[in-house]
Amino acid sequence: MLAEIRNAPAPAKLNLFLHVTGRRPDGYHELETVFQLIDWCDRVHLRRRDDGRIEREGALPGVPPEADLVVRAARLLQAQSGTPLGADLALDKAIPMGGGLGGGSSDAATVLMALNRLWGLDWPDDRLAALGLRLGADVPFFVFGRTAYATGVGERLEPLDLPPCWYVVVAPHVAVPTAAAFAAPDLTRNTEPLKIAGLSRDDRVWQGGNDLQEVVVKRYPEVAAALASLKEAAVAAGLDPARTRMSGSGACVFCPAPTEARAGQMAGEVLRREVGTVRVCRGLSRHPLGSRQVG
């Protein structure tokens, strides 16, 4: 049995489109989206403890321990599995918070997958994903670990094969609370689904949009500026500005590019506009960890 796992990757995600197709009686929203992993990663470090304690080394500013998804994930898996073991947890945070990139959910999923191996539990992925849904709607996707077409609250997942792609991601200097974006009275909640499950046609993905984008852009000028700058950069690079959009509930915006060179050209244009942190990211077809690949 392993005693320690260091530098376990927790990759960010993009929503290539995000449709709000309805609202459930419990207040949650029905969604349709395509999740795409990218190589912008947090890193999680875990060390097994024999005394059953879960200890977090360091802390995230503004996040109390009881709300820390890394700690919550570890405690939930510990309680549900009945293991007598514990863990020391540390997190190197790189993915911006409040950016719509799923960083917290990805951290939680990586903790579940890594502790599954560290504690010798040997839980299957579907069981980990079901547990992860109790932590957040995006957690099951990160456990699923590959490009996916998603419905429900985001937990019903089907694998989707898309061509290799690079993305320019811009993180404005603002955080957007997810709950506030979904609660906006002017949010459209009845978008007709694209129903692209089982298809691998790239053009179908880009027929969609992000229903939250208009709501967020109206309320956050920083997001509007980043989106406008990225669209201008896409045109200058000879790429389709209509494929520039916001990820999740914001604040990050992105645009795809067929090659790293074209993405770099676009990123250079955006950097000159000083609208936020700019990063060239490679799309990942598979999670770089995977519960069977830890260690």
Side-chain angles (χ1 to χ4, degrees):
M1 186 183 296
L2 291 172
E4 184 178 37
I5 296 171
R6 297 194 59 79
N7 293 310
K13 58 82 178 170
L14 298 174
N15 298 92
L16 301 189
F17 69 83
L18 177 58
H19 295 159
V20 182
T21 59
R23 193 168 192 173
R24 306 189 324 188
D26 61 7
Y28 285 94
H29 290 82
E30 292 281 343
L31 306 175
E32 181 194 39
T33 189
V34 165
F35 287 119
Q36 169 69 65
L37 293 167
I38 56 175
D39 65 351
W40 192 346
C41 296
D42 291 342
R43 296 282 171 175
V44 184
H45 313 286
L46 312 95
R47 184 169 54 250
R48 193 183 70 242
R49 296 180 64 115
D50 297 326
D51 61 4
R53 294 173 61 185
I54 304 293
E55 297 288 346
R56 173 77 153 84
E57 298 176 2
L60 289 176
V63 180
E66 63 273 13
D68 190 328
L69 277 171
V70 166
V71 175
R72 289 177 57 204
R75 287 178 175 165
L76 181 61
L77 182 60
Q78 184 187 54
Q80 294 300 307
S81 67
T83 182
L85 300 173
D88 290 323
L89 308 169
L91 176 66
D92 294 335
K93 192 69 182 167
I95 301 169
M97 298 172 64
L101 302 182
S105 294
S106 186
D107 297 340
T110 289
V111 167
L112 293 177
M113 291 188 287
L115 287 180
N116 187 42
R117 177 68 180 277
L118 199 63
W119 288 342
L121 302 178
D122 201 32
W123 278 25
D125 288 348
D126 57 354
R127 190 176 181 187
L128 288 177
L131 189 66
L133 184 59
R134 296 169 59 176
L135 298 164
D138 289 348
V139 178
F141 160 67
F142 289 105
V143 175
F144 186 71
R146 61 168 299 180
T147 310
Y149 171 77
T151 53
V153 297
E155 87 288 7
R156 296 201 293 268
L157 300 157
E158 299 184 38
L160 189 64
D161 294 320
L162 294 177
C165 193
W166 292 82
Y167 299 90
V168 176
V169 184
V170 183
H173 301 305
V174 65
V176 177
T178 297
F182 275 101
D186 49 336
L187 174 64
T188 300
R189 296 180 171 86
N190 59 352
T191 297
E192 189 70 22
L194 286 179
K195 299 179 181 177
I196 66 168
L199 300 179
S200 59
R201 288 175 52 197
D202 184 49
D203 60 331
R204 289 296 301 276
V205 170
W206 299 109
Q207 287 175 16
N210 186 334
D211 289 341
L212 294 164
Q213 182 172 301
E214 184 177 353
V215 167
V216 172
V217 163
K218 285 196 297 187
R219 290 163 172 78
Y220 294 89
E222 300 93 340
V223 179
L227 192 63
S229 295
L230 189 52
K231 286 184 176 181
E232 292 171 7
V235 171
L239 298 172
D240 185 358
R243 296 189 176 190
T244 299
R245 56 195 56 171
M246 187 179 76
S247 180
S249 57
C252 292
V253 299
F254 68 93
C255 185
T259 65
E260 185 178 11
R262 296 285 287 283
Q265 179 184 351
M266 191 165 28
E269 290 286 337
V270 180
L271 278 169
R272 286 193 281 272
R273 292 167 169 81
E274 298 183 348
V275 291
T277 301
V278 183
R279 186 163 180 139
V280 173
C281 299
R282 179 170 57 92
L284 302 175
S285 61
R286 300 275 182 174
H287 196 293
L289 184 62
S291 64
R292 305 296 172 184
Q293 301 170 332
V294 182

